[in-house]
Amino acid sequence: MGSWGRLLLAPVVLLAGCTAAGAPATPATPAASAPTGCAARVEEGRLPDWADAGFSGDARAPHVFGARGEIVAVLFGQPLAVGRTEGPSNKILWVARPAATPSPDPSAPATLVITATLDGTTTRVTREVAGGPGPSIVDVPRAGCWHLELRWSGRTDTMDLVYVAA
């Protein structure tokens, strides 16, 4: 996919409701102004070459690109759901694009910190994925479009993820 395609896909990835397995739901401080609109767009095609390590064959899986193209959320158990009691969990594999240059802040924690805001509200939650981008279970408290701010190793990106009621 060309850079324009990735650029257009980036807003789709602006939100990934996030919860690391076993991490408690930690409310963040209320947002000064709530974002509106949802750019979540789940791609069904082939993963980019930089994100397909560990997959075999054609490496196709539902995924969402970060707005800047720095990270991709590979979605397992699609659609993501709130209150799911059976079936697949809200597993998300976070894959960061290899950094072109060393981290601007080598002392920055590798932990992937996800600050998610429910569209049109001031409802915010923070989730962490220890060790940085990788496998996680990301749950949020309510169905809707969640705007995600993603921070890891001195890098940032954003995406939107939609969670449905189970």
Side-chain angles (χ1 to χ4, degrees):
M1 171 178 300
S3 27
W4 277 107
R6 285 194 180 117
L7 180 62
L8 293 174
L9 289 177
V12 171
V13 188
L14 280 175
L15 184 77
C18 306
T19 295
T26 309
T29 55
S33 62
T36 56
C38 190
R41 183 170 157 214
V42 177
E43 295 292 318
E44 297 288 338
R46 187 166 168 14
L47 293 171
D49 291 341
W50 55 266
D52 68 0
F55 289 87
S56 60
D58 198 15
R60 291 179 182 270
H63 59 280
V64 180
F65 285 96
R68 297 179 57 199
E70 294 296 315
I71 196 165
V72 66
V74 182
L75 309 176
F76 297 88
Q78 181 66 2
L80 300 172
V82 173
R84 186 185 316 235
T85 57
E86 295 181 5
S89 61
N90 292 321
K91 181 177 180 182
I92 299 175
L93 173 61
W94 301 97
V95 183
R97 176 188 290 276
T101 59
S103 172
D105 181 3
S107 65
T111 298
L112 172 62
V113 178
I114 304 162
T115 304
T117 305
L118 181 60
D119 183 51
T121 75
T122 58
T123 302
R124 295 179 90 185
V125 294
T126 300
R127 305 292 188 254
E128 293 186 356
V129 180
S136 67
I137 302 297
V138 181
D139 295 320
V140 294
R142 292 178 40 200
C145 179
W146 288 84
H147 302 289
L148 279 64
E149 295 175 20
L150 308 160
R151 296 182 314 277
W152 73 100
S153 302
R155 298 170 67 188
T156 63
D157 209 335
T158 60
M159 72 174 56
D160 288 350
L161 291 180
V162 172
Y163 281 73
V164 300

